[in-house]
Amino acid sequence: GYMSSAPIIINAGVLGEYNKMIWAGVFYKYQEGIAVLAGVEYKSIKVSYAYDINTNKLKNSGSHEIRVGYCFKLEFEKPKRSYKNTRYL
């Protein structure tokens, strides 16, 4: 449930994608900062970069994030289903 002493956290953002290969966006974190990010995907490998701009009292210079990921293509055999219907007996 809601606790009156807990801080309220609000995040909102916009993320756009082009050709299912390139994406970019901006996110706002209430009383914390703004994040700008961009990325690309090529042959199941994803690389992205994000920069956080702090707007809180710490006033540090922000932070950088680089992420590399791989999407595994998993294929599973589905069992054949047989349906019994009294019409076709």
Side-chain angles (χ1 to χ4, degrees):
Y2 175 75
M3 295 174 49
S4 62
S5 61
I8 295 175
I9 299 172
I10 299 172
N11 295 338
V14 176
L15 186 66
E17 184 179 71
Y18 176 74
N19 243 5
K20 293 188 176 184
M21 288 179 52
I22 300 171
W23 63 90
V26 62
F27 288 83
Y28 174 72
K29 296 181 255 180
Y30 179 68
Q31 292 183 341
E32 285 190 30
I34 298 168
V36 180
L37 57 109
V40 65
E41 179 176 356
Y42 181 72
K43 293 187 178 181
S44 299
I45 297 173
K46 293 182 177 184
V47 179
S48 61
Y49 170 79
Y51 180 68
D52 287 343
I53 303 163
N54 290 319
T55 58
N56 59 16
K57 294 176 187 173
L58 295 177
K59 299 290 183 197
N60 60 2
S61 61
S63 63
H64 301 271
E65 178 181 333
I66 296 173
R67 189 170 76 178
V68 178
Y70 181 80
C71 288
F72 293 95
K73 305 288 185 201
L74 301 177
E75 294 182 18
F76 298 100
E77 284 188 35
K78 293 183 180 179
K80 292 183 179 179
R81 291 186 173 185
S82 62
Y83 297 97
K84 295 182 181 179
N85 189 326
T86 54
R87 286 186 190 174
Y88 304 109
L89 289 178

